[in-house]
Structures are given as structure tokens and as C-alpha cells.
């Protein structure tokens, strides 16, 4: 009886401790799952932002590439035709390219002193302010100015390429770190879940043993009670027989 009571006490303490350990592990698992969800949300937001940044880069890169090519072609043509066509006529012929280049500088927020010069040349050609003798000089100035703007566009494209590369590398590094964090958290959740499962088995086994021990203890008590009752019954019979003989 005493041994069984001690066993029950030990099992009860074991169940209590393992239940507390299980609760702590489940709390850790919940916390880690919440952290995983947060990191996943962060990655989704970062990926969305990176996609938008890349989309804007591609838009600007395409605009710059088209503008640079058009300006290259226009400059080459203007240089080839400068000796054959008057400056005013040359400027008017390529006015669309010149105006597009100016507008491109505005759209891309490229500060440049070339813009005012180009617009002035176009206005002069349109108003006929330049004398025929000055057209060749006028054309040379336009070509020089366009070359300056072309150089600025090329520099802007290189800058945009470098910024995109840097932004992509930063995102990839951060995304890699988040992926590693999620992997480590998932590994920890798996390990703790396995520990919880093992504790549940231990708790179930301890509860089963405790119940069996309690049943055995109750059976022992019932046996002793029955035995005591029988002994008392025999004693009563014995005392009654003694009284009859007397």
C-alpha cells in the first residue's frame, strides 16, 4: 500500500512536470509559427516592392535605350548632311528627335543646361532668326549640344543600371536571409513538435500507469478491508462460542 502510494505520487509529479514542459514547448511553437508568418509577410512585401522597382527600372531603361539610339542616329545623320543642307532645314528635319530628347530629360528628371539651348535653336529655326550664312555654325552647335545631352543620357543609364544591380543584390541577400530564417524556424518547430509528441506519449504512459497503480491500491485496500471484516466476523463467532460454553 505504502509503496503504491509513493509510486502514485511520483507518477503524478512526473505527469505535472511533463505537462508543464509540453505547455512551454507548445508556446514556443506558437511563437515561432507567428514569427514564420511575419517573415513570410515581410518577404511577400519585399518581393512586391522589388517587382515594382524592377518594373520602373525596365521602363526607364527602355526609354533611355530608345532615346540614346535615336539621338545617335540623328547626330550621325546631321553630321553627314550638315555640309549639304542648311542649318535651319536640318534642325527642322530632326526637330522631332530634338524635342523628344528634351521631353525625355524632363520625364526622367535629368537636370541639364542642354535643354534650354536646344529649345532656343529650334525656336530660332522656326522663326527664321538665323541668317543662311550662320546655319552651319547653328547646326554644329546643335550637334554639339545633342552630343552633350547624349552623354548625360548614357551616364544616367549607367547610373540606373548600377542602382538596379545594387537593389537586386540587396533584395537577394535579404531574401536569402529570410529564407534561412524560415528554414531554421521550421526546423526548430519540427524538433519541438517531436518533443511534444514524445512528452504526450510519456504523459499517456504515466497516466495509464498511475491509473493502474491506483486501481491496484484500491484493490489492495478492498482486499484488506474484506480480510479485516472476515477476521472480525471470525472473532465475533469465537467470542460467541466462548459465551455459550460458559
Amino acid at each position: 500500500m505504502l509503496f503504491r502510494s509513493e509510486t502514485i505520487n511520483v507518477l503524478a509529479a512526473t505527469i505535472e512536470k511533463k505537462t508543464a514542459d509540453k505547455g512551454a514547448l507548445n508556446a514556443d511553437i506558437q511563437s515561432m509559427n507567428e514569427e514564420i508568418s511575419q517573415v513570410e509577410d515581410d518577404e511577400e512585401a519585399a518581393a512586391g516592392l522589388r517587382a515594382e522597382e524592377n518594373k520602373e527600372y525596365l521602363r526607364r531603361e527602355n526609354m533611355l535605350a530608345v532615346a540614346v539610339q535615336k539621338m545617335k542616329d540623328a547626330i550621325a545623320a546631321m553630321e553627314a548632311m550638315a555640309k549639304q543642307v542648311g542649318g535651319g532645314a536640318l534642325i527642322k528635319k530632326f526637330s522631332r528627335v530634338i524635342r523628344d530628347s528634351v521631353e525625355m530629360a524632363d520625364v526622367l528628371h535629368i537636370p541639364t543646361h542642354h535643354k534650354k539651348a536646344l529649345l532656343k535653336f529650334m525656336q530660332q529655326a522656326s522663326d527664321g532668326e538665323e541668317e543662311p550664312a550662320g546655319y552651319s555654325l547653328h547646326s554644329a552647335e546643335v550637334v554639339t549640344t545633342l552630343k552633350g545631352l547624349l552623354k548625360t543620357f548614357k551616364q544616367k543609364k549607367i547610373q540606373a543600371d548600377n542602382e538596379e544591380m545594387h537593389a537586386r543584390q540587396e533584395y537577394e541577400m535579404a531574401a536569402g536571409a529570410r529564407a534561412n530564417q524560415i528554414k531554421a524556424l521550421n526546423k526548430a518547430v519540427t524538433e519541438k513538435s517531436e518533443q511534444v509528441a514524445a512528452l504526450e506519449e510519456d504523459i499517456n504512459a504515466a497516466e495509464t500507469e498511475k491509473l493502474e497503480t491506483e486501481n491496484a491500491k484500491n484493490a489492495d485496500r478492498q482486499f484488506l478491508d474484506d480480510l479485516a471484516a472476515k477476521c472480525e466476523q471470525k472473532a465475533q463467532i469465537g467470542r460467541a462460542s466462548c459465551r455459550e460454553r460458559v
Side-chain angles (χ1 to χ4, degrees), residues 117-175:
L118 288 170
L119 291 175
K120 180 181 178 181
F121 292 148
M122 290 179 64
Q123 187 62 45
Q124 288 175 341
S126 177
D127 296 342
E129 294 181 8
E130 286 287 341
E131 295 296 329
Y135 281 174
S136 61
L137 176 61
H138 195 141
S139 299
E141 289 177 349
V142 172
V143 170
T144 300
T145 305
L146 277 175
K147 285 182 177 180
L149 186 56
L150 175 59
K151 181 179 179 181
T152 301
F153 276 12
K154 286 181 177 179
Q155 291 172 341
K156 192 68 177 178
K157 186 177 184 306
I158 292 172
Q159 179 184 346
D161 291 342
N162 289 336
E163 288 175 351
E164 167 63 14
M165 181 178 65
H166 180 68
R168 185 179 67 253
Q169 289 174 343
E170 278 195 339
Y171 165 73
E172 288 174 351
M173 288 179 62

Side-chain angles (χ1 to χ4, degrees), residues 2-34:
L2 181 60
F3 171 74
R4 296 190 190 280
S5 295
E6 291 177 350
T7 300
I8 291 171
N9 291 336
V10 170
L11 289 169
T14 298
I15 292 169
E16 182 179 2
K17 182 179 183 307
K18 289 184 180 292
T19 301
D21 291 344
K22 175 186 169 184
L25 285 170
N26 281 328
D28 289 343
I29 290 171
Q30 180 180 353
S31 177
M32 286 186 290
N33 281 329
E34 290 173 356

Side-chain angles (χ1 to χ4, degrees), residues 8-245:
I8 291 171
N9 291 336
V10 170
L11 289 169
T14 298
I15 292 169
E16 182 179 2
K17 182 179 183 307
K18 289 184 180 292
T19 301
D21 291 344
K22 175 186 169 184
L25 285 170
N26 281 328
D28 289 343
I29 290 171
Q30 180 180 353
S31 177
M32 286 186 290
N33 281 329
E34 290 173 356
E35 188 175 354
I36 289 171
S37 295
Q38 183 60 57
V39 176
E40 289 175 339
D41 289 344
D42 291 345
E43 172 56 26
E44 183 178 356
L49 179 60
R50 176 83 277 272
E52 288 298 319
E53 290 175 345
N54 181 253
K55 182 179 178 181
E56 176 61 17
Y57 159 74
L58 292 175
R59 183 186 72 84
R60 289 169 63 89
E61 194 274 341
N62 181 66
M63 291 172 66
L64 281 167
V66 171
V68 165
Q69 189 57 51
K70 284 184 177 181
M71 290 179 69
K72 282 182 178 180
D73 294 343
I75 290 170
M78 290 178 76
E79 288 179 329
M81 298 172 62
K83 296 179 181 180
Q84 303 172 1
V85 182
L90 196 60
I91 292 170
K92 289 179 181 179
K93 180 177 177 60
F94 292 98
S95 62
R96 180 63 179 273
V97 174
I98 297 172
R99 191 175 298 280
D100 286 349
S101 299
V102 171
E103 291 178 354
M104 181 70 69
D106 285 337
V107 170
L108 297 176
H109 306 292
I110 299 176
T112 173
H113 65 279
H114 302 300
K115 180 173 69 174
K116 291 183 178 180
L118 288 170
L119 291 175
K120 180 181 178 181
F121 292 148
M122 290 179 64
Q123 187 62 45
Q124 288 175 341
S126 177
D127 296 342
E129 294 181 8
E130 286 287 341
E131 295 296 329
Y135 281 174
S136 61
L137 176 61
H138 195 141
S139 299
E141 289 177 349
V142 172
V143 170
T144 300
T145 305
L146 277 175
K147 285 182 177 180
L149 186 56
L150 175 59
K151 181 179 179 181
T152 301
F153 276 12
K154 286 181 177 179
Q155 291 172 341
K156 192 68 177 178
K157 186 177 184 306
I158 292 172
Q159 179 184 346
D161 291 342
N162 289 336
E163 288 175 351
E164 167 63 14
M165 181 178 65
H166 180 68
R168 185 179 67 253
Q169 289 174 343
E170 278 195 339
Y171 165 73
E172 288 174 351
M173 288 179 62
R178 284 189 288 268
N180 288 335
Q181 184 179 4
I182 290 173
K183 182 179 179 181
L185 286 168
N186 279 324
K187 182 175 182 293
V189 167
T190 299
E191 292 174 348
K192 287 182 180 291
S193 297
E194 291 173 352
Q195 293 176 23
V196 167
L199 283 171
E200 287 178 345
E201 289 183 3
D202 292 345
I203 291 170
N204 289 335
E207 287 178 338
T208 298
E209 185 179 355
K210 179 173 175 288
L211 179 61
E212 290 174 350
T213 304
E214 287 173 340
N215 290 336
K217 179 183 177 182
N218 291 333
D220 290 345
R221 181 181 294 110
Q222 185 64 46
F223 172 76
L224 292 175
D225 289 344
D226 291 345
L227 183 62
K230 289 179 180 180
C231 290
E232 178 61 23
Q233 184 180 14
K234 288 182 179 180
Q236 288 178 355
I237 293 174
R239 288 193 294 271
S241 295
C242 289
R243 284 196 299 271
E244 288 176 358
R245 286 196 297 268

